[in-house]
Amino acid sequence: MTIRYSSLKSMPGIDKACIHSLDMSLYQLSVVIDGAELYVTDDDDRMLRSINLCQMQALLEDLPVRETVLRQESAYDEMVGQSERLCSNAMEIPLRVA
């Protein structure tokens, strides 16, 4: 599911903002609201993306976010021919929004 960035400004609270590290310099944003993770889109319903982590963090400055993390999922298992995992291998690093 998705939510528009413009809608986030009127939210009373956002539990968590996850900046997904997709590639060496490609980031995408999702938010957790009331236990549901929603990917953030622009007003044209395109996924909100950036090639700059600081720029993505700046988008969160004026939002009521309780926690911000950088999330990366490793493709290592797939690259070396390991079987598919039953659980996530995502790593989350806490970030401070300035």
Side-chain angles (χ1 to χ4, degrees):
M1 293 185 65
T2 63
I3 188 169
R4 287 185 174 173
Y5 177 76
S6 56
S7 300
L8 294 177
K9 295 179 181 181
S10 63
M11 290 284 170
I14 299 168
D15 301 323
K16 184 195 285 189
C18 300
I19 300 173
H20 300 262
S21 175
L22 301 178
D23 202 4
M24 292 178 70
S25 291
L26 181 60
Y27 302 95
Q28 186 170 297
L29 182 63
S30 69
V31 293
V32 177
I33 300 171
D34 295 329
E37 186 164 1
L38 307 166
Y39 283 89
V40 181
T41 64
D42 61 16
D43 287 334
D44 295 323
D45 292 325
R46 289 177 292 188
M47 292 294 227
L48 197 61
R49 293 187 174 174
S50 176
I51 59 170
N52 185 313
L53 177 60
C54 293
Q55 184 181 45
M56 190 65 79
Q57 285 180 285
L59 292 174
L60 301 172
E61 285 180 2
D62 296 327
L63 299 179
V65 177
R66 293 184 185 95
E67 177 185 14
T68 304
V69 297
L70 176 66
R71 182 186 292 169
Q72 181 173 2
E73 295 188 43
S74 174
Y76 179 77
D77 292 338
E78 180 182 319
M79 291 187 313
V80 296
Q82 294 290 327
S83 59
E84 187 174 327
R85 289 182 178 236
L86 298 177
C87 60
S88 172
N89 67 354
M91 174 177 60
E92 289 188 354
I93 301 165
L95 295 176
R96 251 185 65 202
V97 176

